[in-house]
Amino acid sequence: FFSDGMHDDLLTQLAKIGSLKVISRTSVMEYRDTTKNLRQIGRELGAAAILEGAVQRAGSQVRINVQLIDAESDEHLWAETYDRVLSVDNLFAMQTEMARSIAAAMHATLSPSEEAAIEQQLTDNLEALEAYRRAKLLSRYFYADDLERAQSEIRHALELDPNFALAWAQLAYINMAQFWGVEPRDEYRAAALEAIEKGRAIDPDLTELDIMEGYYHYWGFLDYEAALEVLEPLLPDNRNNAELLQITAWVNRRSGNWDKTLELLHQAEALTPREIRLVYSIGETYVMLRQWDRAQEYLDKATALDPAHARTMQLQGDLIAGRDGDFSSASRYTGLAKDYQRFLLDQYWAMLLHAGDEAVALEAAQLLEDRAAHRLVDQTEKDRGQADFRELALGLTHAYFGNTDEALPLLEAARQRLEQATTEHDPASQPGFVLWYALCEAHGGLGLQEQAVDSCQRAIENIPVDAMVKPLRVFELATFLAWAGADNEAMEQLKSTAESGIGYSKHWYLTDKRLDGLRDHPDWPALMDALEHD
């Protein structure tokens, strides 16, 4: 953790120098034990120079050897050995000296604000610094156990140094990662906001706190406008901040600003070309836009980085389903990914229905205990508590495959429970999307046309404003309208999502049995024409 932390800190310092392009740590870590030569590494990363070094630590002494090498010619541009007594003051002094020396070797001129940024000492407590570094490294991905450990580490850092503003920012991130990636508990949002406020009381100008506020609005409330108001003004002065570029891209994607999304994602790619989360995000965006060749390009990149990564497998499944309509193969990849990402259970189940795999679809339905998989955070705690979807999913699966005797009692029980939940809902709030969506499913599966039109329309009205999710949910709701015999209402919704150019491809429309009754609808040919570019 010590050498990893030094590495991360130094790259963070260098990234504050706007005239340098600094490749992020996630893209260079695979070269730690590589046998590749520097020229090859430089070309793979798009880097003109490589900084390499080693850390030796013995008790209170530390030795750091660093050298900056021209990646093409293999010539040394700068080298230095630092022998110091280990202290926070010495660590920050070394990092500042290295950053200045590297900037000089690269003929980069530092502005006064950049000088101040690289001279800033984050904490005066070495143990707090090391706990912060461990927390940061542990909170890279949405793994529940690692995030719990990261919480422990960052709180230890803040116990040692309550004035460590960057640690407060990291605490905010950890809480929002737990909210978004593990479980949407209100206490996580509240803890994140408290951490941001405490950090701002110490350093109101800290960029990382502004980024965390962006996460708070985005992950916490799907409030994209508020998130962009915080994030976009940061871009001109933080061109090397790959995290800022990525989150701003993601918020733009949710807002439907597709050109801006791709522009920012590709800018981030120049800084972190081998980070799988980013590579996957670009591929996922091209899948949403139904640009299959570009999606395949980024799937190939993700596969080269880590073919067993959950997101790589998810991307593979989405591409095979959308481009090829091979739902059987697609479900195998998504099924593997869902073992790591529970929110994929719903998509896995849907693919099995389209694949016609009744036995496995019934097994998947048994796993659908709740619809937290939707990641739609407008659902209330009461909604989540009432959202046991196993019974409903089993009934829908049986109905999809024509097993009426098995389906009807399950769907009727689910309908009664869900209708009661909507009428007995807390008067202080209205039923959210999740309950109306489930009721739409139950009404559709039972063929209750009038009730389905009402519940499905209420679900559509309550879908959070989300350009990435809304087309998918509208398609699904339309299939239940069609199942209930509300053909014109279903066709209206299907045309709206097909003409948007976003979301499910024609293969989803062609293979869904719930749409069988619409094949002879006079608007069906026009619907297919709208999807023809796929």
Side-chain angles (χ1 to χ4, degrees):
F1 275 119
F2 181 81
S3 59
D4 286 348
M6 283 293 298
H7 185 198
D8 190 43
D9 289 350
L10 183 55
L11 285 175
T12 300
Q13 291 288 78
L14 291 171
K16 295 174 182 176
I17 303 172
S19 55
L20 296 179
K21 184 185 87 170
V22 183
I23 305 299
S24 74
R25 185 174 188 277
T26 51
S27 284
V28 302
M29 280 308 298
E30 67 181 271
Y31 299 105
R32 183 197 295 265
D33 300 311
T34 188
T35 58
K36 296 177 180 179
N37 61 47
L38 295 185
R39 181 176 296 179
Q40 184 177 357
I41 295 171
R43 289 176 178 172
E44 289 180 2
L45 294 174
I50 306 290
L51 181 70
E52 63 176 14
V55 175
Q56 294 172 285
R57 178 179 173 182
S60 62
Q61 291 293 128
V62 63
R63 168 175 288 184
I64 303 175
N65 298 300
V66 286
Q67 50 188 349
L68 185 68
I69 303 169
D70 186 293
E72 192 64 28
S73 67
D74 207 31
E75 294 180 357
H76 280 68
L77 302 174
W78 168 78
E80 188 62 80
T81 298
Y82 298 89
D83 284 298
R84 297 286 192 275
V85 173
L86 189 57
S87 69
V88 169
D89 291 344
N90 284 338
L91 285 178
F92 285 120
M94 283 189 288
Q95 290 171 8
T96 301
E97 185 178 337
M98 288 182 212
R100 282 205 184 96
S101 299
I102 293 163
M106 298 298 294
H107 307 291
T109 302
L110 275 64
S111 69
S113 61
E114 290 169 345
E115 282 275 5
I118 67 171
E119 288 178 357
Q120 184 178 20
Q121 183 162 318
L122 304 176
T123 179
D124 58 5
N125 188 295
L126 181 61
E127 188 178 348
L129 177 63
E130 294 188 338
Y132 161 79
R133 287 170 168 173
R134 288 191 292 271
K136 188 174 181 183
L137 293 169
L138 285 165
S139 56
R140 185 66 188 163
Y141 300 110
F142 299 136
Y143 299 138
D145 290 346
D146 283 353
L147 289 171
E148 284 294 331
R149 291 174 60 203
Q151 274 271 11
S152 177
E153 290 287 353
I154 203 66
R155 291 193 180 279
H156 179 59
L158 288 165
E159 287 171 2
L160 294 168
D161 182 2
N163 292 316
F164 193 169
L166 196 59
W168 286 112
Q170 192 62 32
L171 177 60
Y173 177 82
I174 293 165
N175 276 286
M176 290 315 305
Q178 288 175 302
F179 180 90
W180 180 255
V182 180
E183 184 180 0
R185 289 161 52 183
D186 295 337
E187 64 194 70
Y188 289 139
R189 282 190 304 203
L193 180 59
E194 180 183 13
I196 292 168
E197 291 173 344
K198 288 186 175 180
R200 285 224 171 99
I202 299 162
D203 186 351
D205 300 321
L206 188 65
T207 298
E208 286 79 1
L209 289 166
D210 293 328
I211 295 173
M212 295 314 137
E213 185 181 344
Y215 280 114
Y216 176 76
H217 293 304
Y218 167 28
W219 285 350
F221 298 94
L222 301 183
D223 188 342
Y224 311 126
E225 183 178 354
L228 290 176
E229 284 181 3
V230 176
L231 297 169
E232 290 195 326
L234 303 174
L235 291 170
D237 295 328
N238 294 277
R239 290 175 293 177
N240 274 326
N241 194 318
E243 181 177 22
L244 172 62
L245 290 167
Q246 287 180 74
I247 182 179
T248 310
W250 295 332
V251 178
N252 272 283
R253 184 169 66 174
R254 298 276 178 168
S255 301
N257 303 322
W258 299 98
D259 290 342
K260 184 67 172 179
T261 296
L262 288 168
E263 176 189 343
L264 291 169
L265 286 175
H266 287 304
Q267 286 179 24
E269 184 185 14
L271 300 173
T272 182
R274 302 181 71 79
E275 182 185 2
I276 197 160
R277 182 171 66 165
L278 175 61
V279 172
Y280 162 83
S281 292
I282 298 174
E284 180 185 45
T285 303
Y286 284 121
V287 167
M288 286 296 301
L289 295 169
R290 306 202 289 265
Q291 296 183 22
W292 310 122
D293 290 345
R294 295 307 306 273
Q296 182 67 56
E297 176 186 341
Y298 281 88
L299 173 60
D300 292 343
K301 291 182 179 182
T303 302
L305 291 171
D306 187 353
H309 191 273
R311 291 298 208 173
T312 302
M313 292 184 286
Q314 180 191 349
L315 182 58
Q316 180 90 332
D318 289 347
L319 181 57
I320 291 173
R323 180 189 61 194
D324 306 328
D326 183 354
F327 289 96
S328 180
S329 296
S331 66
R332 284 196 294 273
Y333 286 103
T334 306
L336 291 169
K338 67 102 169 69
D339 293 336
Y340 301 95
Q341 306 283 348
R342 279 189 57 82
F343 67 85
L344 293 175
L345 275 170
D346 227 23
Q347 184 79 341
Y348 174 55
W349 175 62
M351 285 182 175
L352 291 167
L353 296 181
H354 284 257
D357 194 335
E358 180 178 352
V360 183
L362 286 167
E363 292 177 4
Q366 293 276 8
L367 302 174
L368 280 171
E369 298 176 15
D370 60 62
R371 275 278 160 72
H374 279 296
R375 272 191 176 166
L376 295 174
V377 296
D378 67 332
Q379 55 184 304
T380 65
E381 291 289 348
K382 187 173 183 180
D383 287 343
R384 289 197 287 269
Q386 293 167 335
D388 182 349
F389 288 91
R390 185 188 295 110
E391 173 186 67
L392 176 59
L394 282 169
L396 292 170
T397 307
H398 280 300
Y400 190 89
F401 291 105
N403 307 324
T404 305
D405 290 344
E406 293 86 350
L408 286 179
L410 291 165
L411 292 175
E412 181 60 28
R415 179 190 69 80
Q416 293 180 18
R417 176 173 53 81
L418 290 163
E419 285 182 350
Q420 183 178 5
T422 58
T423 57
E424 294 181 354
H425 204 272
D426 182 355
S429 63
Q430 295 298 315
F433 169 77
V434 173
L435 280 179
W436 287 123
Y437 182 98
L439 195 52
C440 169
E441 289 180 305
H443 288 152
L446 288 166
L448 301 174
Q449 181 174 330
E450 184 177 344
Q451 294 93 323
V453 169
D454 178 66
S455 56
C456 295
Q457 184 58 41
R458 288 174 181 264
I460 290 168
E461 291 169 356
N462 280 277
I463 297 176
V465 178
D466 188 321
M468 194 174 174
V469 171
K470 186 173 182 178
L472 309 182
R473 301 292 89 89
V474 169
F475 169 85
E476 292 155 7
L477 290 163
T479 67
F480 291 103
L481 283 167
W483 217 3
D487 292 354
N488 291 331
E489 291 85 351
M491 183 59 70
E492 180 184 353
Q493 298 302 329
L494 290 174
K495 286 194 294 185
S496 72
T497 187
E499 291 167 359
S500 73
I502 307 299
Y504 289 131
S505 72
K506 64 182 179 183
H507 297 295
W508 287 84
Y509 293 71
L510 291 170
T511 58
D512 198 309
K513 292 182 179 181
R514 291 164 294 198
L515 301 180
D516 286 348
L518 286 183
R519 314 288 179 202
D520 295 327
H521 192 284
D523 290 341
W524 184 263
L527 177 65
M528 291 299 99
D529 287 343
L531 295 162
E532 190 55 40
H533 72 277
D534 294 342

